[in-house]
Amino acid sequence: MAEVIGSALTAKAAGAGARAIAERLGRPVETVRGWLRRFASRAEEIRQFFTVLLVDAGIDPAVPGPARTLFADAVNAVVGAWWSVTSRWPHVGTVSPWAVACAASGGILLAPAWPLETINTSRL
């Protein structure tokens, strides 16, 4: 499922509309719109989260330049994080950027409660 949703997000970042994406993926348009809206509503948080992962995981990370939309910036950060992860752990390269995004987000990237608030228990 991560691959299907990732394909929809990538198509939207490239400028496609929900109806065309839904038709291409064979999914209901309202389902696709839901994915796109949820991702768009937290695009900045997603961009930040995956940019940090990109920098932290990369051997020699290259942060993507700005895209034409925040949505596309967030998608680029996900793909950039995948690139960094695969540079450090080459066997990860056998999975897609969206499988890495799923793992990095605990499988809840588009869930209502993501991103989860973290608590630093090592500090008072």
Side-chain angles (χ1 to χ4, degrees), residues 75-101:
V75 169
N76 287 345
V78 170
V79 174
W82 169 81
W83 186 257
S84 284
V85 167
T86 60
S87 72
R88 182 162 306 273
W89 298 283
H91 292 9
V92 173
T94 61
V95 299
S96 77
W98 299 103
V100 170

Side-chain angles (χ1 to χ4, degrees), residues 20-90:
I21 295 168
E23 187 176 305
R24 192 183 86 218
L25 297 176
R27 305 289 181 180
V29 71
E30 285 307 313
T31 299
V32 172
R33 275 196 188 113
W35 298 337
L36 302 178
R37 285 180 182 147
R38 180 66 53 89
F39 190 87
S41 74
R42 61 178 62 138
E44 179 58 24
E45 290 87 357
I46 292 169
R47 187 196 64 76
Q48 289 176 13
F49 179 87
F50 285 97
T51 299
V52 168
L53 177 59
L54 179 159
V55 171
D56 287 350
I59 293 171
D60 189 15
V63 178
R68 55 188 178 84
T69 65
L70 179 56
F71 193 103
D73 281 340
V75 169
N76 287 345
V78 170
V79 174
W82 169 81
W83 186 257
S84 284
V85 167
T86 60
S87 72
R88 182 162 306 273
W89 298 283

